[in-house]
């Protein structure tokens, strides 16, 4: 193949853990195919790691501890980053971009905080910045948002983008067990990190939501703009209440374009929500991710696949690497940051949501009327109500229509203080069906 | 926005039917947004139609009947084709490419026959050829195959890519009605064309399968290479037999990379098949499309969305148009044809499939032994068998393990000729589960 005589594309790899090792493997095993697809050989110029003696399965002469030197080395064309974290990674990638290297990264935390700065550096140097692997692992999702749907108006992105929380919630649904013991089990099976905070408190999903919202709505959205609730407060009572209603609980990342008096804005939120058991997202189990995208012309689309893991993530990274390398061979660049719309990010209080509320109340006359009055005072419309007498008290379940989240919260606070309400058993947002 | 001061990208539109009218609408309504995303305004230079007086809703000064002149006009940068058919469309698009215009087309039939020729012309002129809308309407599928998975090895693509046949099979499954009357009903409801041949005989799906296989396996596959069976021979007995087994019948397009003595090859086929009712493709109803992609590193991915219709198809066309226009503004080109692998296409007889066979047999000793012997003679392994006595005869259902399709056919032919076999009630391939 004549293309292999072309000048090689030289790649600096930052990090050689689970994902990095798979990248090294695939670059080696598929060298011939990648060269044919790119139009030039793709070669590793070096691999920056912290402890070289831990990586006996990669060629020792490629290993270095000096990432800063590697990313600006004159014979490097592309920097691939799979270390994660903000610093020193941010500095290395900015240095790489400023030195004229294109960058492929899987670093969701960094992009969710500093995408603007990274894009500016890429633009100034005229190089590419790709990051498909940062959201939903192997699932082609960012490229469809950035490119396939570039002629459409995306209205909503909703999905399961964190495998750890999905594993835990699926297990709680199956076993009826509590959060703490299910998390322990997940850690034992390798589905949760030793420090699971980033996953279970929703930070990981919020970073991904920020990236998705930025691309979908042509607006800079950072992780700090994302309303975030994790899953640690989800109780067996919530799970049981969902089951009674034919629903199940999932941690959802939701990015919406919303109208309003002050013009269009976006709302981005991560929280557990009840969805109908027959909703396609309800069947997404374990470490799989799935994302719904709604656009004005395209209608509803769904993307499904493995959201994490060494090989799937490496697949996404290599897809980006081929794109960047092709651009280097042919000339030209991939899409740049598109933030022209610059929409305001609306706080959760103004977002329109639906609530499921399950109460233990005294079983006597007037209770339902009093509860209904509180909803009416807050202008929250009730979609469904079910009251069941038990020994001394009664179970009262209310599902609302869409209303501002702030109004729903105030409603719940007020109801919790009513004298005949013994306990607020479960409060959970509801998604995945018409309101 | 400064970008709108940039030189406009001028678009010639060929065809102004259901899809074309939506393209005109979106180009007008989203002019400002498209300009911001592209970095230059995107303008219609002209619209070629057969009968201009039929198109009163588009500006009259844009209409022309002279497509040949429009596609080579000096002030045209991109030609968007939504006419369909082979000629004269092929000639117009080749002329456009040779005149240095990039081309965006939704024409599956043309691409499934002449992709090589079109790509060669695009390469010679250094322009782009994009065709996302040709397969699965609005679903971003070709871009993921061409780009996102360019660093991976795709092993299998399997999906529902034709809405008309999916509507008919879904309806037959629900009502138990026969093919002919269900087709009539589909035509009455607008789900089938007056001449439904291209859909019901699998030609449309075969064109799409050829395009998918070409991209997935880096090999030129044309529609003629695709084994094709339509749905007209699917009977209520087949549908009922599937139901008894917890399966349903779908028309599937299947593209596989297969190993073998003579090295790797590809097998591409379109035929009805029984899939388990709990398979994700089983729930895809009506005009929706869904496609599974399996790759070595990425694992299993699924893409789901609207497979046809004016607005969804226009969304895919405009995504391509934005990509092409960006390339014109920034310089550079999208991915070219990648056919380096040049794998052989294996005939259906050598493809490995599984059969479900339902027989009416005489209810007497030795029948099962004799039938089993025929399977053994052809080296076809039986996965499951069920025999039920009825009045004078018995029902015998056999599901096989994977075997060469030719061996399975010979087995069925031989069994059909056995004296105690009263009727072959149903023969159907089985997909969607491990063999």
């Amino acid at each position: 193949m004549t293309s292999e005589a072309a000048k090689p594309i030289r790649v600096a790899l930052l990090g050689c853990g689970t994902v990095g090792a798979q990248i090294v493997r695939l670059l080696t095993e598929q060298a011939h195919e990648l060269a044919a697809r790119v139009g030039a050989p793709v070669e590793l110029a070096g691999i920056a790691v912290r402890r070289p003696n831990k990586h006996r399965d990669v060629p020792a002469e490629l290993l270095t501890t000096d990432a800063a030197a590697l990313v600006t080395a004159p014979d490097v064309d592309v920097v691939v980053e799979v270390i994660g974290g903000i610093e020193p990674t941010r500095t290395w990638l900015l240095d790489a971009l400023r030195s004229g290297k294109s960058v492929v990264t899987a670093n969701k935390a960094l992009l969710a905080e500093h995408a603007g700065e990274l894009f500016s550096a890429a633009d100034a140097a005229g190089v590419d910045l790709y990051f498909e692997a940062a959201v939903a692992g192997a699932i082609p999702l960012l490229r469809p948002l950035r490119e396939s749907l570039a002629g459409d108006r995306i209205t909503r992105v909703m999905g399961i983008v964190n495998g750890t929380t999905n594993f835990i919630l699926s297990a709680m649904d199956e076993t009826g067990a509590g959060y703490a013991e299910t998390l322990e089990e997940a850690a034992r099976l390798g589905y949760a990190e030793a420090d699971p905070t980033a996953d279970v408190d929703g930070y990981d999903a919020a970073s991904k939501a920020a990236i998705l919202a930025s691309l979908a709505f042509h607006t800079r959205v950072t992780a700090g703009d994302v309303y975030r609730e994790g899953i640690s407060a989800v109780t067996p009572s919530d799970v049981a209440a969902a089951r009674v209603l034919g629903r199940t609980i999932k941690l959802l990342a939701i990015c919406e374009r919303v109208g309003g008096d002050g013009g269009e804005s976006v709302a981005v939120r991560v929280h557990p929500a009840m969805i109908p058991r027959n909703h396609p997202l309800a069947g997404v189990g374990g470490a799989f991710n799935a994302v719904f995208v709604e656009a004005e012309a395209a209608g509803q689309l769904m993307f499904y696949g493995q959201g994490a893991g060494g090989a799937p993530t490496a697949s996404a990274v290599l897809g980006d690497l081929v794109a960047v390398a092709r651009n280097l061979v042919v000339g030209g660049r991939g899409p740049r940051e598109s933030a022209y719309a610059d929409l305001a990010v609306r706080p959760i209080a103004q977002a329109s949501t639906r609530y499921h509320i399950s109460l233990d109340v005294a079983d006597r006359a007037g209770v339902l009327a009093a509860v209904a009055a509180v909803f009416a005072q807050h202008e929250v419309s009730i979609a469904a109500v079910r009251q069941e007498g038990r020994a001394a008290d009664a179970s009262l379940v209310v599902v609302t229509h869409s209303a501002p989240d702030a109004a729903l919260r105030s409603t719940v606070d007020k109801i919790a203080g009513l004298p005949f309400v013994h306990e607020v058993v479960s409060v959970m947002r509801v998604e995945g069906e018409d309101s």
Side-chain angles (χ1 to χ4, degrees), chain A residues 119-181:
Chain A
F119 271 119
S120 297
D123 268 3
V127 296
D128 277 332
L129 173 63
Y130 278 75
F131 46 95
E132 181 68 73
V135 182
I139 308 173
L141 182 59
L142 305 192
R143 187 171 270 103
L145 290 179
R146 266 176 122 179
E147 305 184 40
S148 307
L149 290 164
D152 207 333
R153 296 189 87 227
I154 296 170
T155 51
R156 197 159 198 264
V157 179
M158 176 170 95
I160 295 168
V161 295
N162 180 273
T164 301
T165 49
N166 199 44
F167 178 88
I168 293 172
L169 291 173
S170 299
M172 286 175 70
D173 184 60
E174 278 161 31
T175 64
Y179 166 74
E181 63 179 297

Side-chain angles (χ1 to χ4, degrees), chain A residues 222-249:
Chain A
T222 64
D225 295 325
V226 180
Y227 174 77
R228 179 185 51 73
E229 267 177 42
I231 64 163
S232 59
V234 176
T235 65
S237 297
D238 294 327
V239 172
R243 183 175 285 279
V244 168
L245 293 166
R247 299 195 171 95
T248 186
I249 298 175

Side-chain angles (χ1 to χ4, degrees), chain A residues 24-49:
Chain A
V24 174
R25 177 180 71 82
L26 292 169
L27 280 175
T28 312
E29 287 178 14
Q30 304 187 7
H32 190 76
E33 279 166 298
L34 293 173
R37 295 174 193 178
V38 166
V42 180
E43 293 179 359
L44 273 172
I47 307 173
V49 296

Side-chain angles (χ1 to χ4, degrees), chain A residues 70-97:
Chain A
L70 181 62
V71 299
T72 57
D75 68 336
V76 164
D77 302 298
V78 184
V79 172
V80 171
E81 184 263 313
V82 288
I83 295 176
I86 305 291
E87 285 295 355
T89 315
R90 171 180 153 276
T91 302
W92 290 335
L93 294 190
L94 286 171
D95 286 350
L97 292 166

Side-chain angles (χ1 to χ4, degrees), chain A residues 74 90 188 275 311 341:
Chain A
R90 171 180 153 276
R188 210 178 52 76
I275 59 172

Side-chain angles (χ1 to χ4, degrees), chain A residues 334-419:
Chain A
R336 295 188 252 185
E337 183 184 30
S338 177
Y340 70 89
D342 199 19
L343 301 174
V345 180
R346 180 183 284 220
I348 180 78
Q350 293 171 29
S352 186
T353 63
R354 300 177 61 205
Y355 272 33
H356 159 275
I357 302 151
S358 175
L359 308 168
D360 270 356
V361 296
D363 192 5
R364 58 177 158 89
V367 166
L368 182 57
V371 168
V374 176
F375 279 92
Q377 280 158 26
H378 291 85
E379 296 186 9
V380 173
S381 169
I382 292 176
V385 66
R386 211 191 51 215
Q387 181 163 7
E388 262 173 40
R390 287 192 299 232
D393 56 4
S395 158
L396 179 61
V397 173
V398 178
V399 181
T400 74
H401 282 299
S402 282
D405 202 84
L408 288 160
R409 282 190 188 217
S410 303
T411 308
V412 172
D413 288 349
K414 186 72 179 286
I415 285 172
L418 293 175

Side-chain angles (χ1 to χ4, degrees), chain A residues 201-220:
Chain A
D201 287 348
Y203 290 99
D204 175 83
S207 290
K208 291 165 175 170
I211 295 170
L212 291 173
S214 299
L215 298 179
F217 305 131
H218 303 272
T219 290
R220 279 190 189 171

